[in-house]
Amino acid sequence: MAGQYPDCPFERYADDIVIHCWTLTEAQAVKAAVQERLRRCKLGANPQKTRIVYCQDSNRTDDHEHTQFAFLGYGFQPRVAKNRWGELFTAFLPALSRKAMKAIVTEVRGWGTCYGRFYPTAFRRVFRHLNRRLVRWAQRKYKRFRTHERRAWHYLRHLAQGQPDLFAHWAIGSTP
């Protein structure tokens, strides 16, 4: 890969690969070369998962069939971001994928059901820790809470009252 297409960096983890190309023509050529290489090794690429994705942002505004993909639990897609002057723009950024988020929520619910069954007060400490982490996140995310931990707690309490199913431990009843 590096010898044939040195200008196309790629990431590989087990059987998942992401290849970065500059143009659609180059992406199609690389895709064909990879499929040919897999065919020679008596392997094949999954047609549902093998696709060319356009990394759309403020500088690349064309329309294409695919503008998002998931890789290693992250969902890559166009998202709104702020530059250092506070201006909004569109960037192609990663975030937790929907599939990974559902898996985490299911896992946390399972913890609450399993470990909270016999001695729930001991397990509430874990949920209290999660709530403290959420408060710290709110303090980093929102300027108005940077130096006001009590306001961040109040904000999360209000959020939990309005959306009790937002986090799995809130749905169980461990709200801030």
Side-chain angles (χ1 to χ4, degrees), residues 77-120:
Q77 68 184 48
R79 300 178 195 280
V80 176
K82 254 187 206 180
N83 65 15
R84 61 181 148 176
W85 299 284
E87 300 164 338
L88 297 177
F89 66 99
T90 303
F92 197 79
L93 298 170
L96 189 63
S97 71
R98 291 183 197 281
K99 185 177 175 183
M101 194 177 307
K102 285 180 184 176
I104 290 170
V105 168
T106 304
E107 189 75 21
V108 171
R109 279 201 180 116
W111 292 346
T113 305
C114 180
Y115 296 113
R117 173 172 239 121
F118 300 108
Y119 193 47

mmCIF file of all heavy atoms in Angstrom, residues 77-120:
data_model
loop_
_atom_site.group_PDB
_atom_site.id
_atom_site.type_symbol
_atom_site.label_atom_id
_atom_site.label_comp_id
_atom_site.label_asym_id
_atom_site.label_seq_id
_atom_site.Cartn_x
_atom_site.Cartn_y
_atom_site.Cartn_z
ATOM 1 N N GLN A 77 -18.369 12.369 10.989
ATOM 2 C CA GLN A 77 -19.359 13.051 10.155
ATOM 3 C C GLN A 77 -19.171 14.555 10.279
ATOM 4 O O GLN A 77 -18.465 15.020 11.164
ATOM 5 C CB GLN A 77 -20.763 12.650 10.567
ATOM 6 C CG GLN A 77 -21.175 13.157 11.943
ATOM 7 C CD GLN A 77 -22.547 12.653 12.329
ATOM 8 O OE1 GLN A 77 -22.837 11.471 12.214
ATOM 9 N NE2 GLN A 77 -23.385 13.550 12.789
ATOM 10 N N PRO A 78 -19.818 15.330 9.387
ATOM 11 C CA PRO A 78 -19.734 16.786 9.510
ATOM 12 C C PRO A 78 -20.416 17.241 10.801
ATOM 13 O O PRO A 78 -21.535 16.817 11.097
ATOM 14 C CB PRO A 78 -20.495 17.299 8.285
ATOM 15 C CG PRO A 78 -20.586 16.157 7.349
ATOM 16 C CD PRO A 78 -20.545 14.919 8.182
ATOM 17 N N ARG A 79 -19.727 18.068 11.577
ATOM 18 C CA ARG A 79 -20.269 18.581 12.833
ATOM 19 C C ARG A 79 -19.961 20.076 12.945
ATOM 20 O O ARG A 79 -18.972 20.548 12.408
ATOM 21 C CB ARG A 79 -19.648 17.865 14.032
ATOM 22 C CG ARG A 79 -19.884 16.381 14.040
ATOM 23 C CD ARG A 79 -19.194 15.732 15.231
ATOM 24 N NE ARG A 79 -19.107 14.304 15.071
ATOM 25 C CZ ARG A 79 -20.091 13.456 15.303
ATOM 26 N NH1 ARG A 79 -21.246 13.910 15.700
ATOM 27 N NH2 ARG A 79 -19.935 12.166 15.121
ATOM 28 N N VAL A 80 -20.802 20.759 13.685
ATOM 29 C CA VAL A 80 -20.586 22.183 13.914
ATOM 30 C C VAL A 80 -19.495 22.339 14.967
ATOM 31 O O VAL A 80 -19.499 21.653 15.992
ATOM 32 C CB VAL A 80 -21.892 22.864 14.386
ATOM 33 C CG1 VAL A 80 -21.649 24.327 14.716
ATOM 34 C CG2 VAL A 80 -22.962 22.736 13.312
ATOM 35 N N ALA A 81 -18.554 23.234 14.714
ATOM 36 C CA ALA A 81 -17.463 23.508 15.650
ATOM 37 C C ALA A 81 -17.274 25.016 15.738
ATOM 38 O O ALA A 81 -17.816 25.774 14.934
ATOM 39 C CB ALA A 81 -16.186 22.827 15.167
ATOM 40 N N LYS A 82 -16.508 25.441 16.727
ATOM 41 C CA LYS A 82 -16.210 26.861 16.924
ATOM 42 C C LYS A 82 -14.723 27.079 16.762
ATOM 43 O O LYS A 82 -13.922 26.315 17.294
ATOM 44 C CB LYS A 82 -16.584 27.273 18.349
ATOM 45 C CG LYS A 82 -17.813 28.091 18.471
ATOM 46 C CD LYS A 82 -17.952 28.568 19.910
ATOM 47 C CE LYS A 82 -19.397 28.809 20.202
ATOM 48 N NZ LYS A 82 -19.628 29.279 21.556
ATOM 49 N N ASN A 83 -14.343 28.145 16.060
ATOM 50 C CA ASN A 83 -12.926 28.476 15.978
ATOM 51 C C ASN A 83 -12.542 29.339 17.179
ATOM 52 O O ASN A 83 -13.376 29.636 18.034
ATOM 53 C CB ASN A 83 -12.588 29.140 14.638
ATOM 54 C CG ASN A 83 -13.250 30.490 14.463
ATOM 55 O OD1 ASN A 83 -13.750 31.096 15.407
ATOM 56 N ND2 ASN A 83 -13.267 30.969 13.226
ATOM 57 N N ARG A 84 -11.296 29.769 17.239
ATOM 58 C CA ARG A 84 -10.839 30.506 18.428
ATOM 59 C C ARG A 84 -11.453 31.888 18.562
ATOM 60 O O ARG A 84 -11.367 32.506 19.616
ATOM 61 C CB ARG A 84 -9.318 30.577 18.448
ATOM 62 C CG ARG A 84 -8.718 31.290 17.278
ATOM 63 C CD ARG A 84 -7.224 31.293 17.370
ATOM 64 N NE ARG A 84 -6.664 31.265 16.032
ATOM 65 C CZ ARG A 84 -5.399 31.334 15.783
ATOM 66 N NH1 ARG A 84 -4.547 31.414 16.772
ATOM 67 N NH2 ARG A 84 -4.957 31.296 14.556
ATOM 68 N N TRP A 85 -12.090 32.387 17.515
ATOM 69 C CA TRP A 85 -12.772 33.677 17.581
ATOM 70 C C TRP A 85 -14.257 33.523 17.871
ATOM 71 O O TRP A 85 -15.005 34.481 17.848
ATOM 72 C CB TRP A 85 -12.575 34.452 16.269
ATOM 73 C CG TRP A 85 -11.128 34.720 16.009
ATOM 74 C CD1 TRP A 85 -10.343 35.662 16.612
ATOM 75 C CD2 TRP A 85 -10.286 34.009 15.115
ATOM 76 N NE1 TRP A 85 -9.056 35.579 16.147
ATOM 77 C CE2 TRP A 85 -8.998 34.569 15.213
ATOM 78 C CE3 TRP A 85 -10.479 32.948 14.240
ATOM 79 C CZ2 TRP A 85 -7.922 34.101 14.467
ATOM 80 C CZ3 TRP A 85 -9.416 32.489 13.499
ATOM 81 C CH2 TRP A 85 -8.160 33.067 13.626
ATOM 82 N N GLY A 86 -14.693 32.303 18.121
ATOM 83 C CA GLY A 86 -16.087 32.046 18.457
ATOM 84 C C GLY A 86 -17.004 31.885 17.260
ATOM 85 O O GLY A 86 -18.213 31.785 17.419
ATOM 86 N N GLU A 87 -16.432 31.856 16.061
ATOM 87 C CA GLU A 87 -17.255 31.709 14.856
ATOM 88 C C GLU A 87 -17.540 30.230 14.609
ATOM 89 O O GLU A 87 -16.670 29.384 14.760
ATOM 90 C CB GLU A 87 -16.526 32.303 13.645
ATOM 91 C CG GLU A 87 -16.228 33.776 13.801
ATOM 92 C CD GLU A 87 -15.193 34.271 12.794
ATOM 93 O OE1 GLU A 87 -14.406 33.432 12.276
ATOM 94 O OE2 GLU A 87 -15.171 35.472 12.542
ATOM 95 N N LEU A 88 -18.767 29.939 14.190
ATOM 96 C CA LEU A 88 -19.152 28.562 13.908
ATOM 97 C C LEU A 88 -18.742 28.171 12.504
ATOM 98 O O LEU A 88 -18.801 28.978 11.582
ATOM 99 C CB LEU A 88 -20.664 28.397 14.064
ATOM 100 C CG LEU A 88 -21.227 28.638 15.462
ATOM 101 C CD1 LEU A 88 -22.747 28.513 15.443
ATOM 102 C CD2 LEU A 88 -20.637 27.671 16.456
ATOM 103 N N PHE A 89 -18.335 26.927 12.337
ATOM 104 C CA PHE A 89 -18.013 26.389 11.023
ATOM 105 C C PHE A 89 -18.278 24.883 11.052
ATOM 106 O O PHE A 89 -18.520 24.302 12.112
ATOM 107 C CB PHE A 89 -16.556 26.676 10.646
ATOM 108 C CG PHE A 89 -15.533 25.987 11.500
ATOM 109 C CD1 PHE A 89 -14.922 24.823 11.076
ATOM 110 C CD2 PHE A 89 -15.182 26.499 12.736
ATOM 111 C CE1 PHE A 89 -13.988 24.174 11.857
ATOM 112 C CE2 PHE A 89 -14.245 25.859 13.533
ATOM 113 C CZ PHE A 89 -13.646 24.698 13.084
ATOM 114 N N THR A 90 -18.255 24.250 9.912
ATOM 115 C CA THR A 90 -18.483 22.811 9.821
ATOM 116 C C THR A 90 -17.134 22.110 9.665
ATOM 117 O O THR A 90 -16.331 22.484 8.822
ATOM 118 C CB THR A 90 -19.376 22.476 8.614
ATOM 119 O OG1 THR A 90 -20.587 23.205 8.742
ATOM 120 C CG2 THR A 90 -19.688 20.995 8.567
ATOM 121 N N ALA A 91 -16.920 21.094 10.489
ATOM 122 C CA ALA A 91 -15.686 20.305 10.430
ATOM 123 C C ALA A 91 -16.064 18.830 10.395
ATOM 124 O O ALA A 91 -17.121 18.439 10.881
ATOM 125 C CB ALA A 91 -14.811 20.595 11.647
ATOM 126 N N PHE A 92 -15.210 18.018 9.814
ATOM 127 C CA PHE A 92 -15.429 16.572 9.766
ATOM 128 C C PHE A 92 -14.747 15.984 10.987
ATOM 129 O O PHE A 92 -13.527 15.806 11.008
ATOM 130 C CB PHE A 92 -14.860 15.998 8.461
ATOM 131 C CG PHE A 92 -15.374 14.636 8.143
ATOM 132 C CD1 PHE A 92 -16.632 14.468 7.575
ATOM 133 C CD2 PHE A 92 -14.619 13.512 8.413
ATOM 134 C CE1 PHE A 92 -17.114 13.211 7.276
ATOM 135 C CE2 PHE A 92 -15.086 12.244 8.113
ATOM 136 C CZ PHE A 92 -16.343 12.097 7.548
ATOM 137 N N LEU A 93 -15.530 15.691 12.039
ATOM 138 C CA LEU A 93 -14.971 15.323 13.334
ATOM 139 C C LEU A 93 -15.518 13.991 13.845
ATOM 140 O O LEU A 93 -16.639 13.610 13.527
ATOM 141 C CB LEU A 93 -15.310 16.403 14.362
ATOM 142 C CG LEU A 93 -14.752 17.790 14.083
ATOM 143 C CD1 LEU A 93 -15.353 18.796 15.042
ATOM 144 C CD2 LEU A 93 -13.248 17.775 14.204
ATOM 145 N N PRO A 94 -14.736 13.309 14.688
ATOM 146 C CA PRO A 94 -15.220 12.072 15.301
ATOM 147 C C PRO A 94 -15.982 12.349 16.592
ATOM 148 O O PRO A 94 -15.768 13.365 17.249
ATOM 149 C CB PRO A 94 -13.927 11.317 15.602
ATOM 150 C CG PRO A 94 -12.936 12.400 15.867
ATOM 151 C CD PRO A 94 -13.323 13.534 14.956
ATOM 152 N N ALA A 95 -16.857 11.431 16.947
ATOM 153 C CA ALA A 95 -17.554 11.425 18.231
ATOM 154 C C ALA A 95 -17.972 9.982 18.488
ATOM 155 O O ALA A 95 -17.857 9.121 17.603
ATOM 156 C CB ALA A 95 -18.762 12.349 18.211
ATOM 157 N N LEU A 96 -18.459 9.715 19.652
ATOM 158 C CA LEU A 96 -18.923 8.379 19.992
ATOM 159 C C LEU A 96 -20.012 7.964 19.013
ATOM 160 O O LEU A 96 -20.957 8.706 18.778
ATOM 161 C CB LEU A 96 -19.477 8.382 21.420
ATOM 162 C CG LEU A 96 -19.813 7.056 22.051
ATOM 163 C CD1 LEU A 96 -18.565 6.202 22.207
ATOM 164 C CD2 LEU A 96 -20.454 7.275 23.403
ATOM 165 N N SER A 97 -19.875 6.779 18.417
ATOM 166 C CA SER A 97 -20.873 6.329 17.442
ATOM 167 C C SER A 97 -22.151 5.895 18.155
ATOM 168 O O SER A 97 -22.143 5.562 19.336
ATOM 169 C CB SER A 97 -20.328 5.168 16.608
ATOM 170 O OG SER A 97 -20.238 4.003 17.389
ATOM 171 N N ARG A 98 -23.264 5.898 17.420
ATOM 172 C CA ARG A 98 -24.553 5.498 17.991
ATOM 173 C C ARG A 98 -24.503 4.053 18.498
ATOM 174 O O ARG A 98 -25.045 3.739 19.558
ATOM 175 C CB ARG A 98 -25.658 5.641 16.951
ATOM 176 C CG ARG A 98 -25.965 7.058 16.589
ATOM 177 C CD ARG A 98 -27.129 7.109 15.595
ATOM 178 N NE ARG A 98 -27.219 8.379 14.921
ATOM 179 C CZ ARG A 98 -27.742 9.470 15.436
ATOM 180 N NH1 ARG A 98 -28.216 9.444 16.661
ATOM 181 N NH2 ARG A 98 -27.790 10.584 14.759
ATOM 182 N N LYS A 99 -23.854 3.193 17.745
ATOM 183 C CA LYS A 99 -23.762 1.783 18.126
ATOM 184 C C LYS A 99 -22.981 1.632 19.444
ATOM 185 O O LYS A 99 -23.406 0.900 20.342
ATOM 186 C CB LYS A 99 -23.072 0.996 17.007
ATOM 187 C CG LYS A 99 -23.016 -0.486 17.225
ATOM 188 C CD LYS A 99 -22.376 -1.168 16.026
ATOM 189 C CE LYS A 99 -22.184 -2.643 16.260
ATOM 190 N NZ LYS A 99 -21.507 -3.290 15.141
ATOM 191 N N ALA A 100 -21.870 2.361 19.579
ATOM 192 C CA ALA A 100 -21.075 2.303 20.811
ATOM 193 C C ALA A 100 -21.856 2.902 21.982
ATOM 194 O O ALA A 100 -21.798 2.390 23.103
ATOM 195 C CB ALA A 100 -19.755 3.043 20.620
ATOM 196 N N MET A 101 -22.593 3.988 21.717
ATOM 197 C CA MET A 101 -23.368 4.622 22.771
ATOM 198 C C MET A 101 -24.443 3.663 23.302
ATOM 199 O O MET A 101 -24.632 3.540 24.512
ATOM 200 C CB MET A 101 -24.028 5.897 22.246
ATOM 201 C CG MET A 101 -24.558 6.793 23.328
ATOM 202 S SD MET A 101 -25.251 8.324 22.710
ATOM 203 C CE MET A 101 -23.953 8.973 21.717
ATOM 204 N N LYS A 102 -25.132 2.960 22.401
ATOM 205 C CA LYS A 102 -26.151 1.997 22.829
ATOM 206 C C LYS A 102 -25.518 0.874 23.643
ATOM 207 O O LYS A 102 -26.086 0.415 24.640
ATOM 208 C CB LYS A 102 -26.876 1.424 21.618
ATOM 209 C CG LYS A 102 -27.859 2.386 21.005
ATOM 210 C CD LYS A 102 -28.557 1.771 19.809
ATOM 211 C CE LYS A 102 -29.462 2.796 19.142
ATOM 212 N NZ LYS A 102 -30.090 2.276 17.926
ATOM 213 N N ALA A 103 -24.332 0.425 23.243
ATOM 214 C CA ALA A 103 -23.648 -0.642 23.969
ATOM 215 C C ALA A 103 -23.278 -0.183 25.377
ATOM 216 O O ALA A 103 -23.426 -0.944 26.345
ATOM 217 C CB ALA A 103 -22.403 -1.083 23.211
ATOM 218 N N ILE A 104 -22.826 1.057 25.516
ATOM 219 C CA ILE A 104 -22.451 1.588 26.833
ATOM 220 C C ILE A 104 -23.680 1.695 27.724
ATOM 221 O O ILE A 104 -23.650 1.312 28.897
ATOM 222 C CB ILE A 104 -21.733 2.943 26.684
ATOM 223 C CG1 ILE A 104 -20.355 2.738 26.062
ATOM 224 C CG2 ILE A 104 -21.620 3.650 28.032
ATOM 225 C CD1 ILE A 104 -19.663 4.018 25.660
ATOM 226 N N VAL A 105 -24.779 2.237 27.181
ATOM 227 C CA VAL A 105 -26.008 2.374 27.964
ATOM 228 C C VAL A 105 -26.501 1.011 28.427
ATOM 229 O O VAL A 105 -26.883 0.833 29.587
ATOM 230 C CB VAL A 105 -27.094 3.119 27.138
ATOM 231 C CG1 VAL A 105 -28.457 3.013 27.795
ATOM 232 C CG2 VAL A 105 -26.713 4.569 26.960
ATOM 233 N N THR A 106 -26.478 0.034 27.539
ATOM 234 C CA THR A 106 -26.901 -1.322 27.896
ATOM 235 C C THR A 106 -26.011 -1.890 28.995
ATOM 236 O O THR A 106 -26.505 -2.520 29.937
ATOM 237 C CB THR A 106 -26.853 -2.235 26.652
ATOM 238 O OG1 THR A 106 -27.653 -1.654 25.631
ATOM 239 C CG2 THR A 106 -27.350 -3.617 26.961
ATOM 240 N N GLU A 107 -24.718 -1.639 28.895
ATOM 241 C CA GLU A 107 -23.760 -2.134 29.896
ATOM 242 C C GLU A 107 -24.033 -1.504 31.261
ATOM 243 O O GLU A 107 -24.074 -2.210 32.275
ATOM 244 C CB GLU A 107 -22.338 -1.813 29.443
ATOM 245 C CG GLU A 107 -21.264 -2.450 30.262
ATOM 246 C CD GLU A 107 -21.096 -3.929 29.977
ATOM 247 O OE1 GLU A 107 -21.510 -4.398 28.914
ATOM 248 O OE2 GLU A 107 -20.547 -4.619 30.853
ATOM 249 N N VAL A 108 -24.244 -0.193 31.303
ATOM 250 C CA VAL A 108 -24.493 0.493 32.577
ATOM 251 C C VAL A 108 -25.802 0.004 33.192
ATOM 252 O O VAL A 108 -25.890 -0.217 34.402
ATOM 253 C CB VAL A 108 -24.492 2.027 32.393
ATOM 254 C CG1 VAL A 108 -24.966 2.729 33.649
ATOM 255 C CG2 VAL A 108 -23.094 2.504 32.033
ATOM 256 N N ARG A 109 -26.833 -0.172 32.360
ATOM 257 C CA ARG A 109 -28.100 -0.700 32.868
ATOM 258 C C ARG A 109 -27.898 -2.098 33.460
ATOM 259 O O ARG A 109 -28.456 -2.433 34.503
ATOM 260 C CB ARG A 109 -29.132 -0.760 31.750
ATOM 261 C CG ARG A 109 -29.772 0.560 31.511
ATOM 262 C CD ARG A 109 -31.098 0.411 30.791
ATOM 263 N NE ARG A 109 -31.644 1.736 30.602
ATOM 264 C CZ ARG A 109 -31.858 2.303 29.434
ATOM 265 N NH1 ARG A 109 -31.607 1.651 28.335
ATOM 266 N NH2 ARG A 109 -32.343 3.525 29.359
ATOM 267 N N GLY A 110 -27.092 -2.899 32.789
ATOM 268 C CA GLY A 110 -26.808 -4.245 33.281
ATOM 269 C C GLY A 110 -26.087 -4.222 34.620
ATOM 270 O O GLY A 110 -26.380 -5.015 35.516
ATOM 271 N N TRP A 111 -25.157 -3.291 34.778
ATOM 272 C CA TRP A 111 -24.464 -3.152 36.060
ATOM 273 C C TRP A 111 -25.463 -2.860 37.170
ATOM 274 O O TRP A 111 -25.403 -3.437 38.245
ATOM 275 C CB TRP A 111 -23.457 -2.012 36.023
ATOM 276 C CG TRP A 111 -22.280 -2.210 35.155
ATOM 277 C CD1 TRP A 111 -21.837 -3.363 34.579
ATOM 278 C CD2 TRP A 111 -21.383 -1.187 34.742
ATOM 279 N NE1 TRP A 111 -20.711 -3.120 33.827
ATOM 280 C CE2 TRP A 111 -20.406 -1.790 33.918
ATOM 281 C CE3 TRP A 111 -21.294 0.165 34.975
ATOM 282 C CZ2 TRP A 111 -19.375 -1.064 33.348
ATOM 283 C CZ3 TRP A 111 -20.264 0.887 34.408
ATOM 284 C CH2 TRP A 111 -19.316 0.267 33.599
ATOM 285 N N GLY A 112 -26.353 -1.911 36.903
ATOM 286 C CA GLY A 112 -27.342 -1.521 37.911
ATOM 287 C C GLY A 112 -28.241 -2.675 38.285
ATOM 288 O O GLY A 112 -28.557 -2.891 39.457
ATOM 289 N N THR A 113 -28.645 -3.464 37.309
ATOM 290 C CA THR A 113 -29.525 -4.602 37.566
ATOM 291 C C THR A 113 -28.791 -5.696 38.333
ATOM 292 O O THR A 113 -29.320 -6.267 39.291
ATOM 293 C CB THR A 113 -30.048 -5.170 36.230
ATOM 294 O OG1 THR A 113 -30.656 -4.119 35.500
ATOM 295 C CG2 THR A 113 -31.063 -6.252 36.470
ATOM 296 N N CYS A 114 -27.581 -5.972 37.930
ATOM 297 C CA CYS A 114 -26.822 -7.076 38.528
ATOM 298 C C CYS A 114 -26.262 -6.707 39.905
ATOM 299 O O CYS A 114 -26.578 -7.329 40.902
ATOM 300 C CB CYS A 114 -25.698 -7.479 37.590
ATOM 301 S SG CYS A 114 -24.678 -8.814 38.201
ATOM 302 N N TYR A 115 -25.441 -5.676 39.954
ATOM 303 C CA TYR A 115 -24.732 -5.353 41.191
ATOM 304 C C TYR A 115 -25.596 -4.585 42.190
ATOM 305 O O TYR A 115 -25.329 -4.594 43.382
ATOM 306 C CB TYR A 115 -23.469 -4.545 40.884
ATOM 307 C CG TYR A 115 -22.476 -5.325 40.083
ATOM 308 C CD1 TYR A 115 -22.168 -4.966 38.783
ATOM 309 C CD2 TYR A 115 -21.854 -6.444 40.614
ATOM 310 C CE1 TYR A 115 -21.255 -5.687 38.026
ATOM 311 C CE2 TYR A 115 -20.942 -7.179 39.877
ATOM 312 C CZ TYR A 115 -20.648 -6.790 38.588
ATOM 313 O OH TYR A 115 -19.752 -7.501 37.862
ATOM 314 N N GLY A 116 -26.605 -3.887 41.714
ATOM 315 C CA GLY A 116 -27.455 -3.111 42.606
ATOM 316 C C GLY A 116 -28.574 -3.912 43.234
ATOM 317 O O GLY A 116 -29.343 -3.402 44.044
ATOM 318 N N ARG A 117 -28.680 -5.169 42.904
ATOM 319 C CA ARG A 117 -29.798 -5.999 43.374
ATOM 320 C C ARG A 117 -29.716 -6.289 44.885
ATOM 321 O O ARG A 117 -30.705 -6.155 45.599
ATOM 322 C CB ARG A 117 -29.825 -7.294 42.585
ATOM 323 C CG ARG A 117 -30.829 -8.285 43.105
ATOM 324 C CD ARG A 117 -30.955 -9.480 42.186
ATOM 325 N NE ARG A 117 -32.342 -9.527 41.786
ATOM 326 C CZ ARG A 117 -32.791 -9.462 40.562
ATOM 327 N NH1 ARG A 117 -31.973 -9.354 39.572
ATOM 328 N NH2 ARG A 117 -34.061 -9.512 40.303
ATOM 329 N N PHE A 118 -28.562 -6.671 45.394
ATOM 330 C CA PHE A 118 -28.466 -7.124 46.784
ATOM 331 C C PHE A 118 -28.061 -6.027 47.759
ATOM 332 O O PHE A 118 -28.473 -6.043 48.908
ATOM 333 C CB PHE A 118 -27.481 -8.300 46.885
ATOM 334 C CG PHE A 118 -27.905 -9.464 46.053
ATOM 335 C CD1 PHE A 118 -27.223 -9.794 44.900
ATOM 336 C CD2 PHE A 118 -29.017 -10.205 46.402
ATOM 337 C CE1 PHE A 118 -27.619 -10.856 44.128
ATOM 338 C CE2 PHE A 118 -29.427 -11.271 45.633
ATOM 339 C CZ PHE A 118 -28.730 -11.597 44.484
ATOM 340 N N TYR A 119 -27.257 -5.093 47.306
ATOM 341 C CA TYR A 119 -26.808 -4.025 48.206
ATOM 342 C C TYR A 119 -26.750 -2.736 47.397
ATOM 343 O O TYR A 119 -25.672 -2.266 47.012
ATOM 344 C CB TYR A 119 -25.447 -4.409 48.792
ATOM 345 C CG TYR A 119 -25.018 -3.556 49.957
ATOM 346 C CD1 TYR A 119 -25.876 -3.271 51.011
ATOM 347 C CD2 TYR A 119 -23.740 -3.039 50.006
ATOM 348 C CE1 TYR A 119 -25.480 -2.507 52.066
ATOM 349 C CE2 TYR A 119 -23.319 -2.275 51.065
ATOM 350 C CZ TYR A 119 -24.203 -1.999 52.099
ATOM 351 O OH TYR A 119 -23.804 -1.234 53.138
ATOM 352 N N PRO A 120 -27.907 -2.143 47.101
ATOM 353 C CA PRO A 120 -27.955 -1.001 46.188
ATOM 354 C C PRO A 120 -27.196 0.231 46.674
ATOM 355 O O PRO A 120 -26.685 0.994 45.869
ATOM 356 C CB PRO A 120 -29.445 -0.707 46.043
ATOM 357 C CG PRO A 120 -30.130 -1.457 47.111
ATOM 358 C CD PRO A 120 -29.220 -2.533 47.562
#
